[in-house]
Amino acid sequence: MEFFIQLLNGIQYGLLLFLLATGLTLIFGIMGVLNLAHGSFYMVGAYLAYWLARQTGNMWLAIPLELAIVFIIGLILESTLYARLYHRDHLHQVLLSFGLILIFEELRSIFFGDDVHGVPVPESLKHSIPLTSTLSYPVYRLFISATCLAVAGAMYLVIQKTKIGMTIRAGSTNREMVQSLGINIKLVYRWVFAFGVTLAAFAGMIAAPVSSVYPGMGSQILIICFVVVVIGGIGSIKGAMVAALMIGIVDTLGQVLLPEFSGVAVYLLMAVVLLWRPQGLFKVA
Amino acid sequence: MATTPCRFGSRRDFLKAAGCLTTGALFHRRLAWAQGSKLKIGLMLPYTGTYAALGNAITNGFKLAVAERGGKLGGRELEYFTVDDESDPSKAPENTNKLVQRDKVDVLVGTVHSGVALGMVKIARETSTLLIIPNAGAAAATGELCAPNIFRTSFTNWQTGFPMGKVVADRGLKNIVTITWKYAAGEESVGGFSEGLSKAGGKVVKELWVPFPQVEFQALLTQIGSLKPDAVYTFFAGAGAVKFVKDYAAAGLKGKIPLFGSGFLTDGVLEAQGEAAQGLETTLHYGDGIETPRNKSFREAYSKAYKGEPDVYAVQGYDTGLLLAAGLEAVRGDVNKKSELVAALEKAHIDSPRGAWTLSKAHNPIQDIYLRKVVGTQNKVTSVAHKALEDPARGCSMKKT
């Protein structure tokens, strides 16, 4: 019984990791932009959830409002800053996005202070399902998993089955060719970027009730996001999903079975995968 | 100067007068150096990042103690040199050196993060600069690295864990699981707890560790649920504490397996923990509802001077001011009388809001540790868990200079 609960824990953690990392793999894989500020958007999402939930008193109302806000921030940042760096090398992008991390942290400190804040779980998802005499599973965690699965399914459909998805995939392979076919690739990129950071903010928002909001929360998830992206293969949504689930399960079982090595289990996994397939599990062509 | 015979009317008198003036000026300058020049205080604390709130509370507390003495300690005004240590141990030597070598501070005050504090300890030992640690609880600072010029006004991690062992065992809870971050503070706190527990007849059946600063607890909570111990002891702080307490309740463990912790589990984070923290019991050297006139007057003065209520960190900062004042008053502000200053600091009786304390031979407070219970948004003191608790200061051999 315990093993199955642990497996559930691992899958649940993995799904959340997928949601965190998928925006990063989109932006990195399709646009070739190394966005270190990805974690900051996760933080922005969480803090907006905290703030809007207090203002509106209703998380269901706060979610669409917030997604709109972050999407607009994404559009503005792309058009004013990131768009200038597409033809430069990654180091410039690293510098820019690192600067953004500092700016976001400072703004956070100014607007919200440096305390830890809790975000209440919505009333309708507050209960838990009893599993054993001592253990029960919070419904909200199952809700997170379901949401992540829904997002993954929707993204798969859009990217693989629609015309927009085809354009995005084509753009990632050959930017100039797509443009010469009369498609405004710059606009497509702008939307992809805004969508990618919105995904990060969305992850922060739905994770906020379990993780609470605190300074530096963005940088904490950034490294694990990159691990997911690198294992999965840069730019691959499918890869991100497989990698996130692998990491979730390895990390969870590692903590239980090999507690001495739980800190390095995930990185060990990354090293093994990269030795076996240096381009990641699912390299996009 | 009035007593000096400096009257002049002739050429010769003029020379005499010139001599008079110069010696007068010299004399004056020396006087100024001895009494008037400002005492340089180096505040090395976190002002950004996770511990920023703590750094500010300590600074506020310290400055309140100074303000209550008319802005002077030992008759000298203070000049502050402030460095944000960013809670980054790798920058600790450089930041400490800025204060010691460049600004030539007389006294170092810092810091919150244990790793950074140990970096400061190293340089304080090398340069024999007076260092007062207003928070970091790492055992080594008043253990194997103890030194005559290094003092602490807060606690050791051991001190916040040890008393809880007896409290738990005395309630008939004998088989305990511990869970904490795998780093110095967590290890030392759990170590103290285990020691107290086994002395009182209980035992730790399993130690669970989480890599620092990871906050994914679900796997280990499931394990606790299947181990079914009598109780759980934990050390977490800040965001980790918020998440752990909420996850513990959400996993359905709260109310089935009682949770105990060092006070940092519920300090400064109760608003964020909300319902999940209600009824939790922890041990710490401060808490809410200490009904002494001393504490009341401190709390009034603090909330008058700054926005908001003081917390344990503000008290530690305040006590740093009190300790330094006691030392400097004994030497009339002359920090060059090192051995007298150290002797005065060692002898100081600190009338603290937390209750009176003195320093141990290793320069760590000998203090009462309270048992507190979460009621609403307060950590209500319910009893004294251990009176006048002294850290064992293992590995400390103080060499007198």
Side-chain angles (χ1 to χ4, degrees), chain A residues 202-213:
Chain A
F202 182 62
M205 184 167 38
I206 67 164
V210 284
S211 75
S212 64
V213 302

Side-chain angles (χ1 to χ4, degrees), chain B residues 78-110:
Chain B
L78 306 187
E79 185 176 6
Y80 294 105
F81 294 83
T82 309
V83 167
D84 176 11
D85 68 37
E86 301 168 54
S87 300
D88 185 347
S90 66
K91 290 182 188 158
E94 186 197 333
N95 281 333
T96 315
N97 271 326
K98 262 186 215 163
L99 290 170
V100 173
Q101 310 290 353
R102 185 191 67 190
D103 302 328
K104 308 228 177 311
V105 297
D106 299 306
V107 184
L108 267 175
V109 174

Side-chain angles (χ1 to χ4, degrees), chain B residues 170-192:
Chain B
D170 285 355
R171 292 191 190 171
L173 306 169
K174 304 287 187 188
N175 297 311
I176 314 297
V177 166
T178 63
I179 175 168
T180 184
W181 277 315
K182 185 117 191 106
Y183 79 135
E187 285 165 12
E188 289 170 13
S189 179
V190 162

Side-chain angles (χ1 to χ4, degrees), chain A residues 52-65:
Chain A
L52 287 172
R54 290 185 87 174
Q55 297 298 313
T56 62
N58 184 345
M59 194 163 148
W60 307 121
L61 193 69
I63 287 177
L65 204 61

Side-chain angles (χ1 to χ4, degrees), chain A residues 19-84:
Chain A
L19 193 63
L20 282 174
T22 184
L24 189 67
T25 205
L26 256 188
I27 294 173
F28 194 15
I30 292 175
M31 304 167 57
V33 171
L34 195 54
N35 183 25
L36 288 188
H38 191 73
S40 299
F41 286 95
Y42 171 75
M43 178 188 76
V44 168
Y47 271 88
L48 277 176
Y50 160 69
W51 182 64
L52 287 172
R54 290 185 87 174
Q55 297 298 313
T56 62
N58 184 345
M59 194 163 148
W60 307 121
L61 193 69
I63 287 177
L65 204 61
E66 166 174 342
L67 293 181
I69 294 175
V70 177
F71 195 80
I72 292 167
I73 296 177
L75 288 180
I76 295 171
L77 282 180
E78 200 276 347
S79 54
T80 53
L81 298 172
Y82 285 92
R84 294 165 195 275

Side-chain angles (χ1 to χ4, degrees), chain A residues 2 5-6 9 12-13 16 50 54 105-106 108-109 114-120 128 132-138 141 208-212 214-216 220 251-253 255-256 259-260 262-263, chain B residues 47-53 56 182 206 208-211 213-226 228 238-239 242-243 246-247 249-253 256-257 268-269 271-273:
Chain A
E2 197 202 328
I5 304 176
Q6 295 293 17
N9 288 335
Q12 188 261 326
Y13 180 45
L16 185 64
Y50 160 69
R54 290 185 87 174
E105 275 295 323
E106 203 54 40
R108 191 247 335 124
S109 181
D114 297 313
D115 289 328
V116 185
H117 295 288
V119 180
S128 301
T132 68
S133 60
T134 43
L135 273 177
S136 44
Y137 217 79
R141 280 182 180 266
V210 284
S211 75
S212 64
Y214 51 95
Q220 225 177 50
D251 189 61
T252 304
L253 296 185
Q255 280 189 33
V256 181
E260 293 300 315
S262 64
Chain B
Y47 293 107
T48 57
T50 315
Y51 289 140
N56 286 321
K182 185 117 191 106
K206 184 138 185 117
L208 299 175
W209 304 99
V210 183
Q214 200 174 305
V215 290
E216 186 55 39
F217 304 121
Q218 206 59 29
L220 298 179
L221 289 176
T222 302
Q223 215 176 357
I224 290 172
S226 57
K228 297 195 180 72
V242 174
K243 186 158 191 296
K246 288 175 98 175
D247 284 358
L253 292 168
K256 294 191 184 115
I257 301 170
V269 289
E271 181 260 350
Q273 286 166 335

